[in-house]
Amino acid sequence: NLYKEQGNYAKAYQLLDSSYKIYAANYGPNNILSLNCKIDLATIYIYLEEYEKAKFILEGIKDIYQNYPNSQVKVAEIQSNLSHVYNL
């Protein structure tokens, strides 16, 4: 989050991508930790104005999250992020 707050989105992306790969390798790509990391990656894509990449990630994980119990808040977060992508 530090790099994101500083506006160094390329560095933030690099670290998040590495984190996602570690989570996915150890827990699987649909594990909640992996999915949370993907939300952060999509957010970075939005900051980098790579909206199609963000949309692809968010639409893909929204359906997965809907299968988790008590995930309404995360689904709402994903939908909020998607609304930003669709409005651009």
Side-chain angles (χ1 to χ4, degrees):
N1 283 340
L2 174 66
Y3 289 114
K4 186 170 76 170
E5 289 174 12
Q6 291 176 342
N8 191 346
Y9 304 125
K11 183 67 174 175
Y13 171 83
Q14 187 178 41
L15 292 171
L16 282 168
D17 187 52
S18 176
S19 296
Y20 171 74
K21 289 174 182 172
I22 293 168
Y23 284 134
N26 286 282
Y27 301 112
N30 292 340
N31 178 275
I32 203 82
L33 295 171
S34 302
L35 294 172
N36 285 340
C37 199
K38 286 196 91 162
I39 290 173
D40 291 339
L41 279 168
T43 302
I44 294 298
Y45 278 133
I46 292 170
Y47 288 129
L48 291 171
E49 299 181 2
E50 296 185 35
Y51 305 118
E52 288 302 312
K53 290 180 182 179
K55 185 169 106 178
F56 178 79
I57 289 173
L58 293 168
E59 288 177 342
I61 62 175
K62 185 178 106 179
D63 294 334
I64 297 167
Y65 258 109
Q66 289 176 335
N67 294 321
Y68 277 94
N70 303 314
S71 64
Q72 299 88 356
V73 172
K74 278 294 181 187
V75 171
E77 179 184 348
I78 293 166
Q79 290 174 337
S80 176
N81 286 339
L82 276 169
S83 75
H84 295 298
V85 172
Y86 288 129
N87 287 325
L88 298 171

